[in-house]
Amino acid sequence: MVVDLEKRTYLLVTGASRGIGQRMAVDVSAKLKAGSLIVLLARSEQGLAQTKASITALGNDLNVITFSIDLSSATATQFQELLAKSLDGTKASNFERAFIIHNAGSVGDVSKSAIDVSDTTVWQQYYHMNVFSVISLNCEFFRAFNCLPKIVVNISSKCGIEPYASMSFYCSGKAARNMYFRVLATEQADEDVVVLNYAPGAIDTDMTVLVQRESINKELAGFFKMQRDTKTMLTTEQTTKKFLLVLEAQKFKSGDHVDYWDE
Ligand SMILES: NC(=O)c1ccc[n+]([C@@H]2O[C@H](COP(=O)([O-])OP(=O)(O)OC[C@H]3O[C@@H](n4cnc5c(N)ncnc54)[C@H](OP(=O)(O)O)[C@@H]3O)[C@@H](O)[C@H]2O)c1
C-alpha cells in the first residue's frame, strides 16, 4: 500500500523548534493539501516561530499554530486543552487524516554510567519527558481524532534496540517508546492507522553535539567527532527525505522499526 500525503491533514509535531523535528515539520507540510492545520510543540517560542515562518513561506494555504510547552512536566489535561484550542471549534471530521510525529526527545545525562543515578526523581523527570508525555499525548490525540484515519510516527533510535555505554536513560526510554507503539499498532491493526517507529541515523543536531561533548563513552564521542570533522554526519534534510520515502512507499508493517540505514 502507498500512503498519499496530499490530504487535508491535522499534523502535530513535537520538538518542532529545531533539529529533526523542525525539518520534518516543514518537509511534511510541503506535501499536504491546502486547508491542513499544522500544530507545532516545543519550549522555545523563537524556534517554533522560525519553523512556522518556514511553513508559511511554502505558500500552500496551510494554517500553523504553535504551543510552547515543557514535556517534562506536561499533563493529560494540558494535552486535552491544547488539542481543543488548536481545533478552535473546527470539527475533527473537517480533516481527511490526523498525523502525529512524536519527535521531541532528550538524551539524558551521558556523563553517568548505568549504575550512577539512583535518584528516582531524576529518572522520573527523564521518563516524563521521553515516555509518559508521549503516551499521554498519544492517548489524547486518539480521543480527539477517533473518527479519522491516522498516521502515528515515533522518532526512535538504534539505541532503542541496541545498548550503548553512557546511554542508559536514552536507550531504555527509546526501548519503552518503541514497545508502546508496537502494542498500539497491534491493537489498531484492523483500523485505518499506520504506525511507524523511525530511527533517523546519527544526525548533525544539538543532540549529537551534546553526546560528543559530555559522553563518558569515548568511542561514541570520537565517532561523532570524526563524522563532524569529515562532514560525513547525516543532515536533517537527508534523514527527512528518507523518512518520507519510507512512509510514502509503506513497505513496512505497521509498528515496525525502520532505520535510515535499512534497505
Ligand atoms: N540527532 C540524532 O543523531 C538522533 C539519532 C536518533 C534519534 N534521534 C531522535 O530524534 C529526535 C529529535 O532529535 P534531535 O537530534 O533533533 O534533537 P535536538 O536538536 O536536541 O531537538 C530536540 C527537540 O525536542 C524539544 N524538546 C527537548 N526537550 C523538551 C521539553 N522538555 N519539552 C518540550 N520539547 C522539548 C526541543 O525543543 P525545545 O528545546 O525548544 O523545547 C527540540 O525541538 C529525538 O527523539 C531524538 O532522540 C536523534
Side-chain angles (χ1 to χ4, degrees):
M1 212 173 74
V2 173
V3 174
D4 176 11
L5 291 178
E6 204 192 337
K7 302 265 185 212
R8 201 168 52 259
T9 302
Y10 179 103
L11 170 67
L12 191 153
V13 184
T14 68
S17 60
R18 57 192 157 98
I20 297 168
Q22 182 171 58
R23 188 74 263 149
M24 283 193 171
V26 177
D27 292 359
V28 172
S29 296
K31 300 250 173 195
L32 305 179
K33 217 190 229 178
S36 294
L37 173 62
I38 324 297
V39 181
L40 307 173
L41 270 54
R43 290 166 302 181
S44 164
E45 284 177 12
Q46 201 192 350
L48 289 170
Q50 275 169 10
T51 314
K52 178 175 176 171
S54 301
I55 295 173
T56 308
L58 295 168
N60 47 353
D61 195 17
L62 305 169
N63 302 305
V64 188
I65 306 181
T66 64
F67 289 98
S68 172
I69 184 167
D70 186 348
L71 295 171
S72 65
S73 57
T75 62
T77 309
Q78 268 179 291
F79 291 135
Q80 243 173 51
E81 287 170 0
L82 180 156
L83 289 163
K85 206 169 162 195
S86 70
L87 285 166
D88 191 27
T90 305
K91 285 200 175 105
S93 56
N94 214 38
F95 298 96
E96 295 171 282
R97 174 186 282 143
F99 186 168
I100 187 162
I101 304 181
H102 294 284
N103 162 78
S106 60
V107 79
D109 188 347
V110 289
S111 73
K112 303 283 195 303
S113 79
I115 55 169
D116 284 339
V117 184
S118 56
D119 185 345
T120 53
T121 55
V122 176
W123 280 95
Q124 263 161 10
Q125 199 185 12
Y126 182 80
Y127 267 71
H128 195 117
M129 150 73 192
N130 288 280
V131 182
F132 305 154
S133 273
V134 176
I135 295 171
S136 176
L137 173 60
N138 198 62
C139 294
E140 294 301 336
F141 185 82
F142 267 71
R143 272 186 204 122
F145 297 102
N146 184 28
C147 59
L148 289 186
K150 285 176 268 301
I151 299 177
V152 180
V153 174
N154 171 38
I155 300 302
S156 181
S157 167
K158 197 171 169 192
C159 294
I161 53 174
E162 263 186 45
Y164 285 83
S166 84
M167 308 280 266
S168 59
F169 286 98
Y170 192 66
C171 291
S172 62
K174 287 295 190 196
R177 249 163 101 146
N178 276 348
M179 189 49 88
Y180 168 79
F181 286 103
R182 286 181 62 192
V183 171
L184 177 77
T186 303
E187 289 176 353
Q188 299 286 328
D190 297 332
E191 308 296 326
D192 195 346
V193 175
V194 174
V195 181
L196 171 63
N197 286 302
Y198 177 70
I203 310 297
D204 190 2
T205 65
D206 294 347
M207 185 175 278
T208 46
V209 170
L210 188 151
V211 173
Q212 187 178 322
R213 190 180 60 231
E214 294 181 7
S215 178
I216 51 168
N217 183 342
K218 295 300 164 212
E219 199 183 325
L220 186 62
F223 178 65
F224 285 173
K225 180 175 183 328
M226 179 279 290
Q227 287 207 321
R228 257 200 189 89
D229 290 349
T230 55
K231 302 204 184 314
T232 51
M233 191 174 263
L234 291 174
T235 63
T236 58
E237 285 80 5
Q238 282 172 299
T239 198
T240 300
K241 193 172 171 201
K242 177 71 184 264
F243 163 70
L244 284 167
L245 285 173
V246 168
L247 187 61
E248 288 176 311
Q250 217 215 315
K251 291 196 183 120
F252 61 90
K253 190 163 103 311
S254 184
D256 276 357
H257 186 271
V258 179
D259 194 282
Y260 174 89
W261 295 107
D262 291 349
E263 271 313 299

